[in-house]
Amino acid sequence: MDRATIKAPEYIQFYPTLRCNYSCDFCFNRQLPDTQDITIQGFEKLASVCRRSGIGHIDILGGEPTLHPHIEELIGIISENGLMTTISTNGTRPEILNAVSNRFQGETVRIGISLNEGRMPDGLHEYITGHRPIIKTIFTDRGMAEKTMHPYIKMPGIDCRVIFRDAADQKDLESCTCFESFLYHLEAIKKRYPKTKGVFCGGFIPDTLSNPELAETRCPAGTTKLSVLCDGSVYPCYLFFRYKEFCLGNILEDDFSRIWKHPVLEFFRRFSGNQCPNESCRFYRDCRGGCPAMSYLLYKRLDFPDPRCIKQGENVCRN
């Protein structure tokens, strides 16, 4: 598919609120400044722009989305516009999740629950067994939270996701593993639990089977996805939220076609070769060099190899 013919991403990652009732050490957004929750009127405009622009999916993240006082109404607006959504939550408000799942049944609304550090809020077990949502966990150098996921990972109707951890600073790198090691462990997990899937940046290995338009891109930012903050500001990816130089405009105020044609996106839409020095990695030929946002965060260079695989010029892969 010619990227020039693509008029909009398949989905946006949207943050209706940045407020959260947890303070997880792996959360990238923990360092973002406070931003006011989106209003119902603002979200109606956002959903309308998505529908008219051909964006079919709004991926709702946070913060903790269920802390937004009108989250059920926001999901209703998505449904009214004929769009799909996935909601990522820590599961601390199962009463909200039950209301959403009971009202919006079917495949148009899916809920993903993060189970990490062994916490199980009251009522969440009953919700999971009753509605069979997506179950997610962060993969670190200690592995995944298998004990928390174990009661559900074999249940019919439940999909499991193992997420490759982001690193917002040098300290975070201590808890990260390299991509080769992540896939090595993911393969072992999938042998035991075949329904498990890995979640990682397409800047490593893009899913060209599902998205052939990614065949020549550096990563999916600006081709299949964009990220939007509560105030409507648009970025190539949520990992750039703290850097105003990557702001593409405001989806509530600016013409979307101008946002989509922003010159900042050109880097992400072109792959010019894997810059990683570790040619012995078994994924080297297919890899794009990792997440450019991670490289910018720690090295202020988009074209530098992913810092989770490279540390001070040395390879830190460990199987």
Side-chain angles (χ1 to χ4, degrees), residues 1-3 6 10 208 210-217 223-224:
M1 181 182 296
D2 184 359
R3 293 190 307 276
I6 303 174
E10 289 186 1
T208 55
S210 300
N211 302 104
E213 63 271 33
L214 296 177
E216 298 179 3
T217 61
T223 299
T224 57

Side-chain angles (χ1 to χ4, degrees), residues 179-180 276 278-285 287 309 315 317:
F179 183 67
E180 183 179 17
C276 180
N278 183 27
E279 297 185 19
S280 64
C281 173
R282 63 190 177 114
F283 302 105
Y284 180 82
R285 289 183 177 273
C287 185
C309 294
N315 184 268
C317 292

Side-chain angles (χ1 to χ4, degrees), residues 57-250:
H57 193 118
I58 299 179
D59 191 9
I60 295 183
L61 305 165
E64 170 49 41
T66 60
L67 293 180
H68 192 287
H70 307 292
I71 187 62
E72 192 173 342
E73 289 128 297
L74 301 190
I75 298 169
I77 292 169
I78 294 174
S79 180
E80 290 165 6
N81 278 271
L83 309 176
M84 298 178 65
T85 186
T86 303
I87 308 160
S88 295
T89 171
N90 58 25
T92 53
R93 305 190 73 191
E95 69 281 5
I96 300 293
L97 302 182
N98 272 301
V100 169
S101 293
N102 290 332
R103 177 179 172 185
F104 305 100
Q105 298 182 10
E107 291 298 312
T108 58
V109 178
R110 293 213 69 188
I111 292 176
I113 299 176
S114 296
L115 295 179
N116 295 289
E117 303 181 12
R119 292 182 286 201
M120 180 59 65
D122 292 342
L124 184 57
H125 171 76
E126 290 75 15
Y127 173 79
I128 293 173
T129 55
H131 291 282
R132 308 298 170 94
I134 300 168
I135 300 297
K136 304 188 293 182
T137 188
I138 298 289
F139 185 90
T140 70
D141 61 340
R142 300 186 301 273
M144 74 173 199
E146 196 168 320
K147 290 183 179 178
T148 308
M149 296 182 70
H150 187 72
Y152 315 110
I153 202 167
K154 291 185 177 181
M155 283 187 179
I158 288 184
D159 293 325
C160 298
R161 305 284 188 269
V162 179
I163 303 171
F164 189 37
R165 178 177 174 168
D166 293 329
D169 51 39
Q170 289 288 345
K171 185 178 179 181
D172 283 352
L173 285 180
E174 298 173 5
S175 298
C176 291
T177 184
C178 69
F179 183 67
E180 183 179 17
S181 180
F182 168 74
L183 286 193
Y184 174 85
H185 287 93
L186 180 63
E187 289 169 358
I189 293 168
K190 291 177 72 171
K191 287 180 180 178
R192 289 177 289 164
Y193 310 112
K195 293 188 300 179
T196 302
K197 295 182 180 179
V199 178
F200 52 86
C201 175
F204 285 102
I205 301 176
D207 182 5
T208 55
L209 184 62
S210 300
N211 302 104
E213 63 271 33
L214 296 177
E216 298 179 3
T217 61
R218 177 62 180 82
C219 78
T223 299
T224 57
K225 76 165 186 176
L226 290 174
S227 297
V228 183
L229 268 173
C230 338
D231 62 2
S233 54
V234 185
Y235 293 79
C237 170
Y238 68 91
L239 296 169
F240 289 108
F241 279 166
R242 67 187 70 188
Y243 298 112
K244 291 300 180 183
E245 61 265 35
F246 286 95
C247 184
L248 310 174
N250 192 296

